[in-house]
């Protein structure tokens, strides 16, 4: 592989599947048991806040029973060793990338960008202030900034809302030599369009590592299929041994 100075990795629910967290669109995925319009839109939250809070309380509680897997750890090792620019963009709201990175000495040009928000944070609907949050959000949960109850919402980007860090992400996509998409079905934009942004910039190699071909599989220069815990450590090892 030719020398690489700037990498963007995009991850989706598939990278956390082998840690025991459900994906969305696989068999028995989250969208099999819940309708998006009931639990993942601002309108759903206005209509039935308890149903929405319960959905995210359940997912937040699950974090205590899962661990980062070999794929998360391989990316964390890359963040320690790669001396170029490494932007890890995740669509996932679990904290498994952050936990795999914790305690490591990360290179200065590394950033983790959770573009769909984070289960372990909540947001005040009055002030937009974001704070860390571990337990359930209940109607009695008091906001730390306005001391009101009933104003806290999950810090999650719902359908119809603008994903986070998009300016940083677009700049990284346009500058990168290597774009690796891991564990995402390519169903949801803008993330599903990132591969086209790299191709439009004209100098980045694009790679898909997934259990099965995604919606946009034909757009990738290289496509490798299998479980993330097998593909990602192998791919990252080869990348580190050939370009660093
Ligand atoms: N290893 C690698 N890939 C896997 C594995 C695995 N062990 N298990 C599943 N996958 C792949 C599936 O083949 C699928 O292509 O992960 C992908 C998961 O796709 P989705 O369930 O659609 O999840 P994702 O692509 O992350 O969804 C994007 O949609 O609903 C919204 O906000 C939600 O962030 C989410 C976004």
């Amino acid at each position: 592989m030719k020398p690489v100075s700037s990498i963007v990795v995009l991850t989706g629910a598939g990278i956390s599947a082998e840690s025991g967290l459900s994906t969305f669109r696989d068999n028995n995925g989250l969208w099999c048991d819940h309708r998006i319009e009931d639990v993942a839109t601002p309108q759903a939250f206005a209509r039935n806040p308890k149903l929405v809070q319960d959905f995210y309380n359940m997912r937040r509680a699950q974090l205590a029973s899962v661990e980062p897997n070999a794929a998360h750890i391989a990316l964390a090792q890359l963040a320690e060793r790669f001396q170029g620019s490494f932007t890890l963009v995740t669509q996932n709201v679990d904290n498994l990338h952050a936990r795999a990175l914790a305690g490591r000495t990360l290179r200065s040009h590394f950033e983790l960008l959770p573009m769909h928000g984070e289960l372990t944070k909540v947001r005040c609907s009055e002030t937009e202030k974001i704070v860390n949050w571990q337990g359930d959000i209940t109607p009695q949960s008091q906001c730390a900034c306005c001391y009101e109850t009933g104003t806290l919402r999950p810090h999650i980007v719902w359908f119809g809302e603008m994903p986070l860090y998009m300016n940083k992400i677009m700049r990284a996509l346009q500058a990168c030599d290597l774009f690796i998409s891991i564990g995402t079905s390519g169903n949801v934009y803008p993330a599903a369009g990132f591969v086209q942004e790299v191709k439009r910039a004209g100098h980045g190699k694009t790679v898909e590592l997934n259990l099965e071909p995604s919606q946009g599989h034909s757009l990738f220069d290289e496509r490798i299929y299998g479980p993330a815990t097998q593909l990602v450590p192998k791919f990252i090892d080869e990348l580190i041994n050939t370009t660093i």
Side-chain angles (χ1 to χ4, degrees):
M1 187 180 291
K2 70 181 177 63
V4 169
S5 63
S6 173
I7 300 173
V8 175
V9 171
L10 170 68
T11 63
I15 199 170
S16 298
E18 290 164 271
S19 292
L21 292 179
S22 299
T23 62
F24 293 94
R25 296 173 182 83
D26 290 324
N27 297 334
N28 303 320
L30 285 169
W31 297 149
C32 295
D33 302 330
H34 307 81
R35 293 182 340 135
I36 288 172
E37 52 272 30
D38 290 343
V39 294
T41 68
Q43 296 77 11
F45 187 59
R47 187 170 59 244
N48 188 339
K50 184 178 182 324
L51 180 67
V52 174
Q53 299 288 23
D54 288 350
F55 177 63
Y56 291 97
N57 287 342
M58 171 272 289
R59 295 175 65 195
R60 189 178 305 107
Q62 273 185 325
L63 296 179
S65 59
V66 296
E67 296 291 332
N69 63 49
H72 299 104
I73 291 164
L75 293 175
Q77 289 165 343
L78 182 66
E80 273 183 312
R81 298 181 58 185
F82 181 59
Q83 304 194 32
S85 161
F86 174 22
T87 305
L88 175 50
V89 182
T90 187
Q91 299 173 91
N92 300 340
V93 294
D94 64 54
N95 59 355
L96 295 179
H97 281 305
R99 286 164 60 188
L101 291 160
R104 295 174 185 265
T105 305
L106 304 177
R107 294 289 176 177
S108 55
H109 299 295
F110 169 75
E111 260 197 300
L112 170 62
L113 301 178
M115 66 182 287
H116 288 170
E118 299 171 73
L119 280 172
T120 55
K121 290 183 180 164
V122 296
R123 193 190 317 165
C124 173
S125 304
E126 296 297 319
T127 64
E128 295 294 301
K129 186 172 166 52
I130 297 164
V131 294
N132 292 321
W133 195 269
Q134 297 305 324
D136 287 354
I137 304 178
T138 71
Q140 291 70 43
S141 296
Q142 191 175 38
C143 174
C145 62
C146 54
Y147 302 105
E148 297 288 331
T149 57
T151 59
L152 290 177
R153 62 164 275 183
H155 178 51
I156 299 291
V157 177
W158 284 324
F159 285 88
E161 295 183 322
M162 177 56 84
L164 307 171
Y165 313 108
M166 283 306 296
N167 291 337
K168 274 189 178 180
I169 293 170
M170 297 308 281
R171 283 197 300 272
L173 293 168
Q174 287 151 8
C176 75
D177 311 302
L178 178 59
F179 174 69
I180 312 168
S181 176
I182 303 171
T184 180
S185 62
N187 267 290
V188 173
Y189 286 81
F194 288 174
V195 58
Q196 285 149 309
E197 195 59 38
V198 175
K199 296 175 83 71
R200 217 186 329 270
H203 52 82
K205 177 178 180 183
T206 57
V207 180
E208 174 170 85
L209 306 180
N210 210 51
L211 195 60
E212 60 197 9
S214 70
Q215 294 274 358
H217 66 92
S218 59
L219 295 166
F220 288 87
D221 300 318
E222 187 177 352
R223 303 179 284 268
I224 310 171
Y225 298 116
T229 57
Q230 292 173 26
L231 298 187
V232 179
K234 184 170 182 293
F235 189 90
I236 297 300
D237 277 350
E238 284 167 20
L239 181 65
I240 288 174
N241 295 331
T242 57
T243 64
I244 290 170

